[in-house]
C-alpha cells in the first residue's frame, strides 16, 4: 500500500512525526546492483513481518518527487520502469548529487519522516553519504545488507548495461567503499526464497 504523498514509503500510513519521534528498533540498508533483487528482498521481509511492523523506504522516491516538482514533470511516470524515466535519468542523477553535496541528509530526512513502524528496510541504498547519515542518526540499529545476483540472473530480469549510470554517481557507488563492510550478504541462488 502506498499512501498519497508518501510514494517513497510502502506500507506506512501513520501520522506525521519528526524523524526522531518513532525511533526504529532495526534499520536494514539494502544495496546491490540494478535488478539484483533488492525490492524482492525488501518485500519478502515486509511480508514476513507484516506492514504494521516493517516499512519499506525508498530514497529514490523523494528524489524523484522533488525533481518532478522542480522540473514540471509527471512524478508517477518517474517511478515506473519506462522510457520516460530513462529520458531524465542522467539529469536526475546530476541534480540529486548536487542536492546531496549541499546537504548529505536531504533525501534521508524526507524518507523517514512520519514512519512509525519499528523495522525499516531502505531498499535502494546507493551512496556512502546515505549509509553515514543513517549510522550517525540511528547508530547500532543500522545493519548493512548487500544483495547480489549473477549477471545472467540480472539479464533474465531485463537488466541492460548503461555505461553512463555506472560511470557516474547513479548506481553502485557503494561497491568499492563498503564491499567488505556489509553486515549481511545475500547471494543468489543460494537462498531458496529468491525467485529467478
Amino acid at each position: 500500500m502506498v499512501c498519497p504523498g508518501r510514494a517513497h514509503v510502502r506500507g506506512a500510513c501513520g501520522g506525521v512525526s519528526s524523524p526522531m519521534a518513532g525511533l526504529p528498533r532495526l534499520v536494514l540498508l539494502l544495496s546491490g546492483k540494478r535488478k539484483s533483487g533488492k525490492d524482492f528482498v525488501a518485500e519478502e521481509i515486509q511480508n514476513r513481518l507484516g506492514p504494521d511492523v516493517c516499512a519499506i523506504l525508498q530514497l529514490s522516491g523523494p528524489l524523484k518527487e522533488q525533481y518532478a516538482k522542480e522540473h514540471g514533470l509527471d512524478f508517477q511516470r518517474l517511478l515506473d520502469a519506462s522510457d520516460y524515466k530513462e529520458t531524465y535519468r542522467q539529469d536526475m542523477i546530476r541534480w540529486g548529487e548536487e542536492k546531496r553535496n549541499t546537504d548529505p541528509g536531504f533525501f534521508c530526512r524526507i524518507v523517514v519522516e512520519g514512519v512509525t513502524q519499528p523495522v525499516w528496510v531502505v531498499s535502494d541504498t546507493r551512496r556512502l553519504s546515505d549509509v553515514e547519515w543513517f549510522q550517525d542518526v540511528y547508530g547500532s540499529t543500522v545493519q548493512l545488507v548487500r544483495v547480489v545476483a549473477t549477471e545472467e540472473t540480472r539479464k533474465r530480469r531485463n537488466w541492460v548495461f548503461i555505461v553512463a549510470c555506472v560511470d557516474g554517481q547513479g548506481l553502485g557507488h557503494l561497491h568499492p567503499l563498503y564491499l567488505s563492510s556489509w553486515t549481511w550478504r545475500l547471494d543468489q541462488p543460494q537462498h531458496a526464497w529468491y525467485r529467478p
Side-chain angles (χ1 to χ4, degrees), residues 44-135:
E44 276 295 307
I45 293 168
Q46 186 181 56
N47 288 340
R48 290 171 187 228
L49 297 177
D52 293 341
V53 173
C54 177
I56 298 172
L57 311 179
Q58 295 177 310
L59 292 168
S60 61
L63 184 150
K64 290 173 184 173
E65 188 169 20
Q66 236 5 79
Y67 181 82
K69 283 179 187 174
E70 289 189 22
H71 293 84
L73 300 174
D74 184 339
F75 169 57
Q76 292 302 319
R77 292 191 64 200
L78 289 178
L79 292 174
D80 62 29
S82 67
D83 289 338
Y84 185 83
K85 178 175 74 175
E86 294 305 319
T87 301
Y88 298 102
R89 180 184 292 277
Q90 288 308 307
D91 190 56
M92 199 165 22
I93 290 169
R94 180 203 51 76
W95 176 87
E97 289 307 313
E98 288 174 4
K99 288 285 190 193
R100 282 186 180 92
N101 289 337
T102 304
D103 178 2
F106 181 80
F107 298 113
C108 298
R109 282 192 306 280
I110 293 171
V111 81
V112 302
E113 186 178 314
V115 180
T116 58
Q117 290 89 332
V119 177
W120 301 353
V121 179
V122 182
S123 65
D124 59 350
T125 310
R126 293 186 177 101
R127 288 168 182 72
L128 179 58
S129 62
D130 298 335
V131 172
E132 290 172 339
W133 185 87
F134 277 98
Q135 288 176 330

XYZ file of all heavy atoms in Angstrom, residues 44-135:
762
model
N 9.883 -9.361 0.710
C 9.849 -10.612 1.477
C 9.947 -10.342 2.978
O 9.234 -10.947 3.772
C 10.992 -11.539 1.051
C 10.696 -12.368 -0.164
C 9.570 -13.362 0.060
O 9.616 -14.154 1.019
O 8.618 -13.329 -0.745
N 10.827 -9.445 3.353
C 10.981 -9.101 4.771
C 9.676 -8.492 5.289
O 9.176 -8.875 6.347
C 12.172 -8.139 4.978
C 13.490 -8.863 4.660
C 12.186 -7.598 6.419
C 14.696 -7.945 4.559
N 9.110 -7.560 4.526
C 7.860 -6.932 4.956
C 6.718 -7.945 5.010
O 5.914 -7.925 5.947
C 7.482 -5.781 4.032
C 6.258 -5.013 4.536
C 5.855 -3.890 3.617
O 5.618 -4.118 2.433
N 5.768 -2.687 4.162
N 6.647 -8.850 4.039
C 5.598 -9.877 4.045
C 5.706 -10.774 5.268
O 4.696 -11.176 5.848
C 5.655 -10.727 2.772
C 5.175 -9.964 1.556
O 4.473 -8.966 1.654
N 5.585 -10.427 0.379
N 6.911 -11.101 5.661
C 7.111 -11.994 6.814
C 6.838 -11.285 8.134
O 6.331 -11.885 9.069
C 8.513 -12.580 6.784
C 8.668 -13.581 5.648
C 10.090 -14.025 5.444
N 10.187 -14.841 4.251
C 10.798 -15.997 4.198
N 11.383 -16.496 5.256
N 10.850 -16.673 3.068
N 7.190 -9.999 8.227
C 6.983 -9.254 9.476
C 5.622 -8.570 9.534
O 5.099 -8.327 10.618
C 8.081 -8.196 9.644
C 9.503 -8.713 9.789
C 10.484 -7.545 9.873
C 9.632 -9.617 11.013
N 5.078 -8.235 8.379
C 3.811 -7.524 8.297
C 4.028 -6.028 8.163
O 4.986 -5.482 8.706
N 3.119 -5.341 7.451
C 3.269 -3.904 7.209
C 3.117 -3.047 8.472
O 3.541 -1.892 8.484
C 2.184 -3.584 6.185
C 1.203 -4.695 6.295
C 1.961 -5.900 6.757
N 2.521 -3.595 9.528
C 2.427 -2.834 10.779
C 3.757 -2.802 11.518
O 3.989 -1.933 12.349
C 1.360 -3.431 11.703
C -0.040 -3.259 11.139
O -0.228 -2.399 10.257
O -0.954 -3.995 11.576
N 4.625 -3.760 11.210
C 5.926 -3.866 11.872
C 7.034 -3.316 10.988
O 7.985 -2.711 11.471
C 6.229 -5.348 12.240
C 7.637 -5.513 12.774
C 5.199 -5.859 13.250
N 6.908 -3.505 9.675
C 8.005 -3.201 8.752
C 7.574 -2.239 7.642
O 6.588 -2.495 6.951
C 8.503 -4.506 8.131
S 9.803 -4.300 6.908
N 8.325 -1.157 7.484
C 8.094 -0.209 6.389
C 9.244 -0.304 5.402
O 10.407 -0.383 5.799
C 8.009 1.217 6.933
N 8.909 -0.313 4.121
C 9.926 -0.268 3.072
C 10.087 1.189 2.654
O 9.125 1.841 2.260
C 9.528 -1.123 1.857
C 9.383 -2.595 2.257
C 10.554 -0.952 0.733
C 8.814 -3.473 1.156
N 11.302 1.696 2.780
C 11.599 3.082 2.432
C 12.448 3.103 1.168
O 13.356 2.283 1.013
C 12.368 3.768 3.567
C 11.799 3.605 4.975
C 12.690 4.310 5.978
C 10.389 4.125 5.047
N 12.169 4.045 0.290
C 12.923 4.171 -0.955
C 13.475 5.583 -1.072
O 12.720 6.539 -1.198
C 12.031 3.846 -2.152
C 11.575 2.396 -2.152
C 10.629 2.101 -3.291
O 9.659 2.815 -3.495
N 10.920 1.051 -4.032
N 14.785 5.703 -1.016
C 15.429 7.010 -1.118
C 15.197 7.654 -2.476
O 15.195 8.875 -2.597
C 16.932 6.881 -0.849
C 17.284 6.521 0.592
C 18.749 6.121 0.698
C 16.975 7.670 1.520
N 14.986 6.844 -3.505
C 14.759 7.406 -4.838
C 13.400 8.086 -4.939
O 13.207 8.954 -5.787
C 14.869 6.320 -5.902
O 13.885 5.319 -5.694
N 12.453 7.734 -4.067
C 11.117 8.335 -4.097
C 11.140 9.837 -3.884
O 10.659 10.601 -4.729
N 11.702 10.314 -2.749
C 11.727 11.762 -2.538
C 12.591 12.487 -3.567
O 12.297 13.622 -3.934
C 12.286 11.934 -1.126
C 12.801 10.619 -0.701
C 12.172 9.584 -1.583
N 13.638 11.826 -4.049
C 14.470 12.433 -5.075
C 13.637 12.676 -6.334
O 13.604 13.785 -6.870
C 15.664 11.533 -5.388
C 16.682 12.084 -6.384
C 18.068 11.539 -6.076
C 16.326 11.764 -7.811
N 12.931 11.646 -6.769
C 12.122 11.766 -7.983
C 10.972 12.755 -7.794
O 10.643 13.518 -8.700
C 11.590 10.396 -8.397
C 12.682 9.478 -8.905
C 12.163 8.075 -9.147
C 13.307 7.162 -9.562
N 12.895 5.760 -9.650
N 10.372 12.731 -6.606
C 9.255 13.641 -6.340
C 9.720 15.102 -6.380
O 9.096 15.954 -7.011
C 8.635 13.311 -4.977
C 7.363 14.064 -4.692
C 6.634 13.542 -3.469
O 7.259 12.863 -2.622
O 5.431 13.828 -3.356
N 10.827 15.411 -5.718
C 11.375 16.766 -5.704
C 11.810 17.190 -7.100
O 11.556 18.314 -7.523
C 12.587 16.774 -4.792
C 12.735 17.700 -3.624
C 11.617 18.592 -3.234
O 10.669 18.167 -2.593
N 11.709 19.838 -3.567
N 12.471 16.263 -7.818
C 12.933 16.550 -9.177
C 11.740 16.865 -10.082
O 11.776 17.822 -10.859
C 13.726 15.353 -9.722
C 14.264 15.556 -11.118
C 15.446 16.266 -11.330
C 13.604 15.039 -12.230
C 15.946 16.460 -12.615
C 14.091 15.216 -13.510
C 15.261 15.925 -13.702
O 15.748 16.126 -14.975
N 10.677 16.065 -9.975
C 9.476 16.282 -10.789
C 8.862 17.653 -10.496
O 8.480 18.380 -11.424
C 8.459 15.180 -10.536
N 8.772 18.016 -9.208
C 8.206 19.316 -8.834
C 9.015 20.462 -9.426
O 8.462 21.403 -9.978
C 8.177 19.469 -7.310
C 7.078 18.708 -6.629
C 7.161 18.913 -5.113
C 6.184 18.021 -4.389
N 6.341 18.106 -2.924
N 10.338 20.384 -9.276
C 11.200 21.478 -9.735
C 11.304 21.576 -11.259
O 11.648 22.619 -11.778
C 12.597 21.334 -9.125
C 12.620 21.629 -7.645
C 14.023 21.709 -7.071
O 14.992 21.947 -7.835
O 14.156 21.526 -5.850
N 10.998 20.468 -11.958
C 11.153 20.462 -13.416
C 9.823 20.307 -14.162
O 9.817 20.131 -15.379
C 12.118 19.344 -13.828
C 13.523 19.571 -13.368
N 13.952 19.231 -12.115
C 14.580 20.146 -14.000
C 15.219 19.565 -11.979
N 15.623 20.131 -13.110
N 8.700 20.351 -13.433
C 7.385 20.258 -14.059
C 7.126 18.944 -14.761
O 6.529 18.907 -15.838
N 7.559 17.830 -14.140
C 7.411 16.507 -14.760
C 6.354 15.673 -14.040
O 5.916 16.005 -12.939
C 8.760 15.777 -14.724
C 9.907 16.471 -15.454
C 11.215 15.720 -15.211
C 9.615 16.575 -16.940
N 5.971 14.567 -14.656
C 4.996 13.627 -14.098
C 5.708 12.705 -13.114
O 6.422 11.780 -13.511
C 4.362 12.826 -15.237
C 3.262 11.886 -14.769
O 3.219 11.532 -13.569
O 2.448 11.490 -15.621
N 5.508 12.937 -11.820
C 6.172 12.159 -10.779
C 5.858 10.668 -10.885
O 6.756 9.828 -10.775
C 5.770 12.699 -9.399
C 6.169 11.823 -8.257
C 7.497 11.465 -8.065
C 5.227 11.349 -7.359
C 7.873 10.654 -7.006
C 5.595 10.544 -6.305
C 6.916 10.196 -6.129
N 4.602 10.311 -11.106
C 4.219 8.892 -11.175
C 4.964 8.174 -12.301
O 5.354 7.018 -12.146
C 2.700 8.747 -11.364
C 1.888 9.192 -10.167
C 2.250 8.422 -8.901
O 2.459 7.217 -8.921
N 2.331 9.131 -7.780
N 5.185 8.844 -13.416
C 5.889 8.218 -14.538
C 7.373 8.061 -14.250
O 8.031 7.190 -14.817
C 5.657 8.998 -15.828
C 4.183 8.866 -16.268
C 3.940 9.368 -17.642
N 4.666 8.570 -18.628
C 4.948 9.003 -19.845
N 4.589 10.214 -20.223
N 5.604 8.238 -20.689
N 7.925 8.892 -13.351
C 9.334 8.736 -12.965
C 9.525 7.535 -12.045
O 10.640 7.061 -11.867
C 9.845 10.004 -12.264
C 10.040 11.228 -13.136
C 10.491 12.411 -12.281
C 11.041 10.965 -14.254
N 8.439 7.032 -11.462
C 8.531 5.883 -10.553
C 8.565 4.548 -11.284
O 9.033 3.557 -10.740
C 7.338 5.873 -9.570
C 7.306 6.988 -8.545
C 6.010 6.927 -7.753
C 8.513 6.909 -7.628
N 8.050 4.498 -12.506
C 7.990 3.204 -13.196
C 9.247 2.946 -14.023
O 10.154 3.761 -14.069
C 6.712 3.089 -14.050
C 6.648 4.128 -15.160
O 7.707 4.560 -15.652
O 5.525 4.508 -15.537
N 9.293 1.804 -14.650
C 10.477 1.393 -15.423
C 10.285 1.734 -16.895
O 10.518 0.916 -17.771
C 10.712 -0.097 -15.236
N 9.877 2.954 -17.163
C 9.542 3.344 -18.532
C 10.668 4.130 -19.205
O 11.634 4.542 -18.575
C 8.281 4.219 -18.511
O 8.573 5.448 -17.862
N 10.477 4.365 -20.507
C 11.405 5.211 -21.251
C 11.347 6.647 -20.741
O 12.321 7.387 -20.840
C 11.070 5.187 -22.749
C 11.421 3.851 -23.392
O 12.272 3.127 -22.830
O 10.841 3.535 -24.453
N 10.185 7.051 -20.198
C 10.031 8.400 -19.646
C 11.095 8.649 -18.579
O 11.787 9.653 -18.607
C 8.620 8.548 -19.047
C 8.290 9.940 -18.549
C 7.834 10.920 -19.427
C 8.397 10.257 -17.206
C 7.514 12.195 -18.978
C 8.083 11.532 -16.744
C 7.627 12.493 -17.636
O 7.325 13.755 -17.182
N 11.231 7.714 -17.639
C 12.231 7.854 -16.582
C 13.636 7.855 -17.169
O 14.495 8.641 -16.764
C 12.095 6.732 -15.558
C 13.145 6.795 -14.454
C 12.933 5.756 -13.384
C 13.320 4.394 -13.857
N 13.226 3.378 -12.800
N 13.880 6.976 -18.132
C 15.216 6.884 -18.734
C 15.613 8.186 -19.424
O 16.781 8.548 -19.439
C 15.293 5.706 -19.702
C 15.157 4.344 -19.037
C 16.160 4.109 -17.914
O 17.340 4.483 -18.064
O 15.758 3.558 -16.883
N 14.632 8.900 -19.975
C 14.898 10.174 -20.632
C 15.523 11.184 -19.668
O 16.381 11.976 -20.050
C 13.579 10.757 -21.207
O 13.043 9.824 -22.135
C 13.807 12.092 -21.889
N 15.098 11.133 -18.413
C 15.545 12.114 -17.418
C 16.587 11.560 -16.445
O 17.070 12.290 -15.585
C 14.338 12.635 -16.633
C 13.345 13.337 -17.521
C 12.178 12.695 -17.922
C 13.590 14.617 -17.979
C 11.268 13.326 -18.759
C 12.696 15.263 -18.820
C 11.531 14.615 -19.199
O 10.643 15.240 -20.033
N 16.935 10.284 -16.570
C 17.805 9.630 -15.588
C 19.105 10.394 -15.337
O 19.459 10.662 -14.197
C 18.123 8.190 -16.002
C 19.034 7.479 -14.997
C 19.425 6.091 -15.449
N 18.336 5.170 -15.479
C 17.878 4.494 -14.420
N 18.423 4.679 -13.247
N 16.886 3.644 -14.543
N 19.844 10.723 -16.369
C 21.145 11.371 -16.183
C 21.027 12.731 -15.516
O 21.797 13.051 -14.606
C 21.890 11.495 -17.515
C 22.408 10.177 -18.044
C 23.224 9.421 -17.016
O 24.178 9.948 -16.442
N 22.833 8.200 -16.731
N 20.054 13.530 -15.936
C 19.887 14.845 -15.321
C 19.400 14.698 -13.880
O 19.803 15.462 -12.998
C 18.916 15.707 -16.125
C 18.917 17.146 -15.637
O 20.009 17.765 -15.606
O 17.840 17.641 -15.240
N 18.553 13.710 -13.633
C 18.063 13.462 -12.280
C 19.219 13.043 -11.360
O 19.300 13.482 -10.213
C 16.985 12.360 -12.318
C 16.110 12.327 -11.118
S 14.590 11.339 -11.299
C 14.907 10.194 -12.610
N 20.128 12.238 -11.859
C 21.307 11.821 -11.093
C 22.168 13.043 -10.771
O 22.566 13.240 -9.621
C 22.115 10.756 -11.866
C 21.346 9.429 -11.905
C 23.499 10.562 -11.236
C 21.930 8.401 -12.845
N 22.424 13.857 -11.777
C 23.229 15.068 -11.569
C 22.585 15.982 -10.532
O 23.225 16.450 -9.598
C 23.384 15.811 -12.897
C 24.202 17.105 -12.804
C 23.890 18.087 -13.940
N 22.483 18.370 -14.142
C 21.753 19.171 -13.358
N 22.282 19.761 -12.322
N 20.467 19.380 -13.623
N 21.276 16.215 -10.677
C 20.528 17.073 -9.764
C 20.559 16.517 -8.340
O 20.768 17.251 -7.377
C 19.096 17.210 -10.281
C 18.195 17.995 -9.397
C 18.016 19.344 -9.408
C 17.337 17.479 -8.377
N 17.102 19.695 -8.445
C 16.672 18.573 -7.806
C 17.078 16.201 -7.894
C 15.754 18.422 -6.772
C 16.172 16.051 -6.865
C 15.527 17.154 -6.313
N 20.359 15.202 -8.209
C 20.386 14.561 -6.889
C 21.744 14.689 -6.225
O 21.839 14.911 -5.010
N 22.814 14.564 -7.006
C 24.163 14.708 -6.454
C 24.413 16.139 -5.983
O 25.041 16.352 -4.947
C 25.219 14.288 -7.478
C 25.267 12.802 -7.725
C 25.405 11.979 -6.453
O 26.261 12.300 -5.602
O 24.642 11.013 -6.290
N 23.889 17.107 -6.733
C 24.029 18.499 -6.302
C 23.338 18.724 -4.964
O 23.870 19.384 -4.073
C 23.455 19.448 -7.361
C 24.310 19.559 -8.604
C 23.655 20.389 -9.710
O 22.546 20.959 -9.482
O 24.244 20.472 -10.805
N 22.130 18.161 -4.811
C 21.387 18.276 -3.546
C 22.173 17.628 -2.409
O 22.283 18.178 -1.312
C 20.003 17.614 -3.646
C 19.017 18.368 -4.477
C 18.505 19.570 -3.724
C 17.328 20.189 -4.451
N 16.989 21.506 -3.933
N 22.698 16.424 -2.646
C 23.451 15.702 -1.615
C 24.743 16.430 -1.245
O 25.150 16.405 -0.090
C 23.778 14.287 -2.087
C 22.629 13.337 -1.986
C 23.090 11.921 -2.332
N 21.990 10.999 -2.233
C 21.203 10.670 -3.248
N 21.401 11.202 -4.444
N 20.220 9.811 -3.079
N 25.397 17.032 -2.230
C 26.629 17.771 -1.943
C 26.362 18.962 -1.040
O 27.182 19.312 -0.203
C 27.309 18.225 -3.239
C 27.908 17.055 -4.004
O 28.196 16.007 -3.446
N 28.081 17.231 -5.307
N 25.207 19.581 -1.220
C 24.814 20.716 -0.384
C 24.360 20.252 0.994
O 24.677 20.871 2.001
C 23.669 21.499 -1.069
O 24.103 21.892 -2.366
C 23.280 22.720 -0.257
N 23.595 19.137 1.030
C 23.016 18.624 2.273
C 22.940 17.103 2.177
O 21.970 16.563 1.650
C 21.622 19.229 2.470
C 20.910 18.717 3.710
O 21.489 17.918 4.469
O 19.751 19.133 3.913
N 23.954 16.373 2.683
C 24.004 14.911 2.533
C 22.780 14.160 3.080
O 22.450 13.086 2.592
C 25.263 14.517 3.301
C 26.108 15.741 3.287
C 25.156 16.890 3.337
N 22.084 14.702 4.060
C 20.926 14.014 4.629
C 19.595 14.447 4.065
O 18.540 14.006 4.535
N 19.612 15.264 3.014
C 18.378 15.844 2.462
C 17.309 14.788 2.175
O 16.186 14.872 2.670
C 18.706 16.640 1.189
C 17.516 17.304 0.555
C 17.025 18.486 1.059
C 16.900 16.737 -0.549
C 15.924 19.112 0.472
C 15.804 17.349 -1.147
C 15.311 18.533 -0.629
N 17.628 13.778 1.365
C 16.636 12.770 0.981
C 16.368 11.787 2.116
O 15.255 11.281 2.259
C 17.087 12.035 -0.289
C 17.228 12.953 -1.471
C 18.467 13.205 -2.022
C 16.122 13.584 -2.016
C 18.606 14.062 -3.105
C 16.249 14.458 -3.100
C 17.500 14.690 -3.648
N 17.357 11.526 2.944
C 17.183 10.606 4.072
C 16.155 11.147 5.062
O 15.282 10.407 5.530
C 18.509 10.363 4.789
S 19.769 9.598 3.755
N 16.246 12.423 5.387
C 15.293 13.021 6.322
C 13.875 12.965 5.780
O 12.923 12.699 6.509
C 15.684 14.470 6.637
C 16.806 14.589 7.633
C 16.975 16.016 8.138
N 17.146 16.990 7.071
C 18.295 17.219 6.433
N 19.390 16.543 6.760
N 18.369 18.117 5.474
N 13.727 13.219 4.488
C 12.394 13.174 3.879
C 11.817 11.771 3.971
O 10.656 11.585 4.326
C 12.443 13.641 2.406
C 12.788 15.127 2.332
C 11.107 13.374 1.716
C 13.063 15.630 0.919
N 12.620 10.751 3.674
C 12.094 9.387 3.595
C 11.679 8.826 4.962
O 10.761 8.020 5.044
C 13.078 8.444 2.858
C 14.182 7.971 3.767
C 12.369 7.266 2.245
N 12.303 9.260 6.041
C 11.954 8.705 7.365
C 10.858 9.497 8.068
O 10.310 9.026 9.069
C 13.185 8.597 8.297
C 14.264 7.731 7.664
C 13.738 9.952 8.685
N 10.521 10.647 7.543
C 9.522 11.493 8.196
C 8.183 10.771 8.317
O 7.618 10.304 7.332
C 9.343 12.788 7.402
C 8.431 13.786 8.083
C 8.316 15.068 7.290
O 9.359 15.592 6.843
O 7.188 15.523 7.098
N 7.693 10.671 9.547
C 6.375 10.094 9.790
C 6.312 8.576 9.821
O 5.245 8.014 10.021
N 7.414 7.884 9.635
C 7.402 6.422 9.650
C 7.348 5.959 11.107
O 8.174 6.364 11.920
C 8.631 5.834 8.931
C 8.594 4.310 8.956
C 8.703 6.342 7.504
N 6.385 5.110 11.430
C 6.167 4.698 12.823
C 6.484 3.227 13.098
O 6.534 2.826 14.247
C 4.707 4.972 13.237
O 3.840 4.261 12.349
C 4.394 6.465 13.163
N 6.680 2.421 12.059
C 6.981 1.010 12.264
C 8.346 0.856 12.930
O 9.242 1.664 12.701
C 6.969 0.238 10.942
C 5.597 0.077 10.330
C 5.242 1.228 9.415
O 5.703 2.353 9.579
N 4.395 0.968 8.435
N 8.524 -0.224 13.718
C 9.809 -0.432 14.392
C 10.924 -0.972 13.498
O 12.096 -0.899 13.856
C 9.473 -1.435 15.497
C 8.261 -2.159 15.001
C 7.498 -1.169 14.164
N 10.585 -1.512 12.327
C 11.590 -2.040 11.400
C 11.480 -1.282 10.087
O 10.401 -1.173 9.510
C 11.391 -3.563 11.154
C 12.394 -4.072 10.122
C 11.496 -4.343 12.457
N 12.625 -0.744 9.649
C 12.688 -0.031 8.380
C 13.624 -0.773 7.442
O 14.722 -1.157 7.820
C 13.236 1.372 8.568
C 12.466 2.252 9.499
C 11.263 2.001 10.092
C 12.859 3.543 9.949
N 10.885 3.058 10.880
C 11.848 4.019 10.809
C 13.965 4.347 9.704
C 11.915 5.258 11.431
C 14.039 5.581 10.316
C 13.016 6.041 11.159
N 13.186 -0.960 6.191
C 14.033 -1.554 5.165
C 14.204 -0.500 4.069
O 13.244 -0.158 3.378
C 13.417 -2.839 4.573
C 14.326 -3.409 3.492
C 13.166 -3.874 5.665
N 15.404 0.039 3.953
C 15.704 1.011 2.899
C 16.173 0.192 1.703
O 17.252 -0.385 1.713
C 16.770 2.035 3.346
C 17.021 3.056 2.239
C 16.336 2.732 4.635
N 15.331 0.138 0.666
C 15.556 -0.826 -0.416
C 16.484 -0.344 -1.522
O 16.765 -1.112 -2.447
C 14.212 -1.233 -1.029
O 13.601 -0.115 -1.644
N 16.969 0.883 -1.439
C 17.796 1.389 -2.538
C 18.949 2.258 -2.043
O 19.166 3.356 -2.535
C 16.943 2.145 -3.561
C 16.194 3.338 -2.954
O 16.178 3.485 -1.716
O 15.613 4.116 -3.727
N 19.721 1.749 -1.110
C 20.874 2.481 -0.584
C 21.993 2.426 -1.616
O 22.465 1.350 -1.953
C 21.346 1.861 0.743
O 20.222 1.718 1.611
C 22.406 2.720 1.400
N 22.414 3.596 -2.098
C 23.416 3.633 -3.164
C 24.661 4.424 -2.819
O 25.656 4.334 -3.510
C 22.798 4.219 -4.436
C 21.738 3.339 -5.045
C 21.270 3.915 -6.373
N 20.313 3.035 -6.988
C 19.006 3.230 -6.954
N 18.508 4.277 -6.354
N 18.195 2.379 -7.542
N 24.587 5.250 -1.801
C 25.695 6.171 -1.556
C 26.227 6.083 -0.139
O 25.485 5.866 0.810
C 25.241 7.597 -1.850
C 25.096 7.804 -3.330
C 24.395 9.062 -3.677
N 24.263 9.164 -5.124
C 23.435 8.415 -5.860
N 22.707 7.480 -5.302
N 23.371 8.585 -7.155
N 27.515 6.306 -0.026
C 28.169 6.319 1.273
C 27.543 7.367 2.184
O 27.348 7.128 3.378
C 29.667 6.588 1.097
C 30.505 6.660 2.363
C 30.405 5.373 3.161
C 31.952 6.977 2.013
N 27.184 8.519 1.633
C 26.581 9.577 2.452
C 25.260 9.130 3.070
O 24.934 9.515 4.196
C 26.377 10.858 1.634
O 25.496 10.633 0.553
N 24.494 8.287 2.352
C 23.242 7.761 2.904
C 23.527 6.816 4.072
O 22.886 6.894 5.121
C 22.444 7.017 1.828
C 22.020 7.909 0.670
O 21.905 9.139 0.866
O 21.805 7.369 -0.433
N 24.499 5.922 3.888
C 24.879 4.988 4.955
C 25.346 5.768 6.179
O 24.913 5.502 7.307
C 25.992 4.019 4.481
C 26.524 3.187 5.644
C 25.475 3.109 3.373
N 26.202 6.749 5.961
C 26.737 7.536 7.075
C 25.634 8.290 7.807
O 25.635 8.361 9.042
C 27.807 8.509 6.568
C 29.068 7.802 6.136
C 30.079 8.707 5.461
O 29.705 9.794 4.965
O 31.258 8.319 5.428
N 24.666 8.829 7.069
C 23.574 9.561 7.715
C 22.776 8.625 8.622
O 22.515 8.949 9.777
C 22.661 10.227 6.680
C 21.610 11.089 7.336
C 21.746 12.392 7.683
C 20.300 10.680 7.745
N 20.584 12.838 8.284
C 19.685 11.809 8.337
C 19.584 9.491 7.675
C 18.390 11.779 8.853
C 18.296 9.454 8.197
C 17.704 10.579 8.775
N 22.387 7.467 8.095
C 21.609 6.528 8.907
C 22.415 6.051 10.115
O 21.882 5.941 11.223
C 21.127 5.336 8.065
C 19.869 5.629 7.303
C 19.921 6.000 5.965
C 18.628 5.551 7.915
C 18.760 6.287 5.262
C 17.458 5.833 7.220
C 17.521 6.206 5.888
N 23.700 5.770 9.937
C 24.527 5.332 11.059
C 24.695 6.440 12.093
O 24.649 6.178 13.295
C 25.891 4.841 10.564
C 25.797 3.518 9.841
C 27.118 3.050 9.254
O 27.971 3.849 8.881
N 27.284 1.739 9.168
